[in-house]
């Protein structure tokens, strides 16, 4: 390899500094473009967006990706990695976001990384949160919630300190009453926040250290079976998947 070829190779590598992050665990999806750990462009697909049916909001992710890249003047070849919120959460929204993330990673020829959406609820809050322990929750339907404890440290770094569980509304209230030092955070809670792709910025180093997922086999953590599958199995008395 000549010095010129070596220099060109290094130059191309040096440009691949951008991280594209997507989050779709709820009907409020989001896309963020990061330079190292700094947000340089972002889009939020809000449930209040006029003219977008709930079931179709996932289709807005690709236009949001294009808008972020255009706004920042970043080309596809400059994307170093894709990060996707891995759930748990809405089955349909996660399936769409996961499919988009996998397609982008395959198309760009880069690795795909996954991160807990419950963690992104804490790190992606629109206003910085005080350090401490949070109980991050997302709607699991049927009167239940996906929940996990997240420790937020000074400086914004956070870790999920326990596996995700499913709590009833009563169990959630009991947990909040039992440990007043733990703040409950999630959509519609006192600390009202949705998981957001901007939260990747504060934990990017740990995401990268955990390693990429297997692109062919990876699926988001849906948390539980899709509601349609539950109804089908209840009606037919057997598993849909054999």
């Amino acid at each position: 390899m000549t010095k010129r070829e070596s220099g060109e190779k290094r130059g191309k590598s040096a440009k691949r500094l951008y991280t594209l992050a997507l989050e779709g665990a709820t009907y409020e999806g989001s896309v963020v473009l990061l330079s190292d750990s700094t947000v340089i462009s972002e889009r939020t697909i809000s449930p209040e967006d006029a003219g977008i049916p709930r079931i179709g909001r996932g289709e807005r992710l690709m236009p949001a990706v294009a808008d972020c890249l255009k706004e920042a003047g970043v080309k596809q070849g400059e994307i170093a990695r894709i990060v996707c919120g891995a759930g748990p959460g809405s089955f349909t929204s996660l399936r769409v976001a996961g499919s988009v993330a996998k397609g982008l990673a395959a198309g760009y020829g880069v690795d795909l990384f996954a991160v807990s959406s419950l963690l992104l609820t804490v790190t992606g809050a629109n206003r910085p949160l005080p350090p401490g322990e949070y109980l991050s929750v997302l709607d699991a339907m049927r009167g239940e919630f996906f929940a996990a404890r997240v420790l937020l440290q000074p400086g914004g770094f956070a870790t999920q300190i326990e596996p995700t569980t499913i709590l009833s509304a009563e169990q959630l209230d009991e947990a909040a009453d039992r440990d007043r030092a733990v703040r409950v955070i999630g959509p519609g809670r006192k600390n009202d926040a949705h998981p957001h792709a901007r939260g990747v910025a504060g934990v990017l180093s740990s995401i990268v250290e955990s390693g990429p997922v297997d692109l062919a086999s990876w699926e988001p953590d849906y948390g539980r079976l899709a509601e349609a599958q539950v109804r089908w199995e209840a009606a037919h008395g057997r598993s849909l998947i054999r």
Side-chain angles (χ1 to χ4, degrees), residues 1-241:
M1 180 182 293
T2 66
K3 288 185 177 180
R4 178 180 177 181
E5 289 172 334
S6 178
E8 288 177 349
K9 185 176 181 180
R10 288 196 302 271
K12 289 179 181 178
S13 298
K15 290 181 180 179
R16 299 171 70 83
L17 298 175
Y18 298 100
T19 298
L20 184 63
L22 297 83
E23 166 52 42
T26 69
Y27 289 113
E28 183 174 292
S30 54
V31 175
V32 162
L33 185 65
L34 303 169
S35 176
D36 294 327
S37 294
T38 301
V39 175
I40 60 173
S41 182
E42 69 176 78
R43 293 291 186 276
T44 300
I45 303 167
S46 171
E48 289 76 33
D49 285 346
I52 307 174
R54 290 178 64 175
I55 198 68
R57 287 192 188 107
E59 298 174 3
R60 293 292 300 272
L61 282 174
M62 281 303 297
V65 168
D67 286 347
C68 283
L69 295 178
K70 182 178 180 180
E71 181 178 83
V74 172
K75 296 180 172 58
Q76 294 181 6
E78 296 176 291
I79 301 299
R81 67 185 65 86
I82 307 293
V83 177
C84 186
S90 163
F91 184 91
T92 301
S93 296
L94 280 172
R95 183 175 58 184
V96 171
S99 297
V100 170
K102 291 174 74 170
L104 288 170
Y108 292 175
V110 298
D111 286 330
L112 173 63
F113 296 79
V115 59
S116 166
S117 296
L118 290 167
L119 182 64
L120 295 184
T121 301
V122 176
T123 60
N126 198 29
R127 286 189 288 271
L129 299 171
E133 192 172 318
Y134 290 82
L135 182 60
S136 181
V137 299
L138 289 170
D139 185 16
M141 302 185 69
R142 308 171 209 166
E144 295 178 325
F145 297 87
F146 300 117
R149 291 178 184 259
V150 173
L151 180 62
L152 179 62
Q153 301 174 1
F157 182 75
T159 53
Q160 184 172 317
I161 57 178
E162 68 176 11
T164 301
T165 59
I166 296 180
L167 301 178
S168 67
E170 293 76 14
Q171 290 172 321
L172 179 57
D173 290 340
E174 289 172 3
D177 290 338
R178 184 169 57 249
D179 192 348
R180 296 302 181 98
V182 177
R183 306 172 181 92
V184 179
I185 184 171
R189 314 306 300 186
K190 183 176 181 180
N191 292 289
D192 187 7
H194 286 255
H196 199 286
R198 74 170 74 92
V200 169
V203 290
L204 182 59
S205 60
S206 64
I207 293 172
V208 173
E209 286 173 6
S210 69
V213 302
D214 178 71
L215 194 58
S217 63
W218 179 77
E219 292 288 339
D221 173 17
Y222 298 113
R224 68 188 337 160
L225 298 177
E227 193 70 17
Q229 182 174 344
V230 171
R231 291 197 296 268
W232 190 96
E233 292 180 351
H236 293 79
R238 62 182 177 87
S239 174
L240 179 62
I241 300 173

